[in-house]
Amino acid sequence: MKKIISLGIAAAIAAALSVPSAIAGETLDRVMSNKKLVLSSDPEYPPQSFLNDNNEMDGFDIDVAKEVAKRFGVELEIITPAWDIITAGNWGGRWDISIGSMTPTKARAEKLDFPAIYYYTPANFAVHNDSSVTKMEELDGKVIGSCGGCTYEAYLKKNLVIDAVGTPEFDYKVTPGEIKTYDTDTTAFDDLRIGDGARLDAVFSALPTIKEAIKNGYPLKVIEPSAFYEPLSVAVDKGDPEFSAKIAEVIKAMHEDGTLSKLSMKWYDADLTKAQ
């Protein structure tokens, strides 16, 4: 009798699993019921995410999000809250997911879940073309700009902790005299382009973002080598392991079938889907 009851329970569980909406967590249930995945994104973070000439969101992160939504079988909706609001967690259902090149730090993991790493990016310093700086150590004591509440600011403050498996080791090679934070990297570049030392001596950002700024006419140059490589993960609000598991499954498939590599080559002319 005990064995028969156990088999009956197993059958009931199997039946329940065949109906996703019945066992889905709150976020997954909302996404599948509404047939819509709401993405939080930054409209001023090229080439990851930006408004193109047609006033439409575009970029590597946007393409990744579109593919994720496609594999979920739902439409993608994009909203643009401030970065510090996104990383604060407790989204309250205002959006479902962040595919915004977010590093899964220990502090962020207290408020968010990171179900899947989808690529890695090098972090570099950029200076004005008129600057005499040629290496990181020469930036000691300088005024350096970065996005507020991001990994670059944490690195400059020497309290960056990245817990993701496979993250290359790094050390701190710069001690800024002053750190100026900005809502977006583009605003920091705007201050640096004014002139060497006018408002900033350098900006610390993702190498692809710096290269995109240079491509768009900013008078900047990259300081090599990269300070560190950061894993970038999909982020979701806490409380829905079923949603996280589904995202992990989708991102794994995109790694395995080459989709992420193709998108990386499209936007970066390099495959950044593996740590260097």
Side-chain angles (χ1 to χ4, degrees), residues 5-6 12-13 19 45 75 79 96 112 118 141 157 180 207-208 225 236-238 262:
I5 292 174
S6 296
I13 291 173
V19 186
Y45 193 45
E75 298 296 320
I79 62 174
D96 308 310
L112 299 169
Y118 61 109
K157 291 181 175 180
K180 286 189 176 181
L207 181 58
V236 297
D237 220 351
K238 283 189 172 296
K262 290 177 182 177

Side-chain angles (χ1 to χ4, degrees), residues 60-61 64 67-68 71 99 114-121 164-165 230-234 246-265 268 270-276:
F60 174 71
D61 283 342
V64 172
E67 183 65 22
V68 170
R71 296 188 186 211
I99 301 178
F114 297 98
I117 292 170
Y118 61 109
Y119 81 115
Y120 298 78
T121 191
V165 175
E230 56 180 333
L232 288 311
S233 177
V234 176
K246 180 64 177 178
I247 291 168
E249 175 188 325
V250 168
I251 294 296
K252 180 182 179 183
M254 291 170 65
H255 273 294
E256 292 177 345
D257 65 19
T259 299
L260 288 172
S261 293
K262 290 177 182 177
L263 292 178
S264 179
M265 292 299 300
Y268 302 128
D271 187 356
L272 300 180
T273 61
K274 298 178 178 65
Q276 303 298 314

Side-chain angles (χ1 to χ4, degrees), residues 10-197:
I13 291 173
L17 289 174
S18 69
V19 186
S21 61
I23 57 108
E26 180 180 355
T27 305
L28 181 57
D29 185 61
R30 180 175 64 248
V31 169
M32 302 312 293
S33 296
N34 295 339
K35 298 296 181 183
K36 179 174 65 178
L37 180 68
V38 182
L39 171 77
S40 58
S41 186
D42 186 342
E44 298 183 29
Y45 193 45
Q48 288 76 231
S49 55
F50 60 96
L51 282 173
N52 62 24
D53 293 340
N54 295 321
N55 202 37
E56 298 173 339
M57 289 293 290
D58 207 350
F60 174 71
D61 283 342
I62 302 302
D63 277 356
V64 172
K66 287 178 178 177
E67 183 65 22
V68 170
K70 177 182 176 181
R71 296 188 186 211
F72 265 73
V74 301
E75 298 296 320
L76 181 70
E77 178 181 325
I78 304 172
I79 62 174
T80 57
W83 180 251
D84 58 349
I85 295 176
I86 297 172
T87 57
N90 297 312
W91 298 344
R94 291 169 290 173
W95 56 87
D96 308 310
I97 192 169
S98 169
I99 301 178
S101 298
M102 189 185 298
T103 305
T105 65
K106 184 176 182 179
R108 287 174 179 166
E110 295 176 359
K111 301 176 181 179
L112 299 169
D113 286 334
F114 297 98
I117 292 170
Y118 61 109
Y119 81 115
Y120 298 78
T121 191
N124 284 70
F125 290 91
V127 297
H128 193 277
N129 281 341
D130 294 337
S131 174
S132 61
V133 172
T134 60
K135 55 185 179 180
M136 283 187 276
E137 291 82 356
E138 295 173 0
L139 291 171
D140 282 353
K142 302 291 188 179
V143 180
I144 301 176
S146 79
C147 49
C150 65
T151 52
Y152 310 120
E153 182 187 11
Y155 178 92
L156 294 174
K157 291 181 175 180
K158 300 187 178 182
N159 61 9
L160 176 61
V161 178
I162 303 175
D163 294 334
V165 175
T167 302
E169 294 183 0
F170 61 88
D171 55 13
Y172 300 106
K173 295 185 177 180
V174 176
T175 302
E178 180 183 351
I179 302 170
K180 286 189 176 181
T181 59
Y182 297 81
D183 288 339
T184 69
D185 297 62
T186 301
T187 311
F189 294 142
D190 286 339
D191 270 3
L192 185 57
R193 78 187 301 178
I194 293 173
D196 180 34

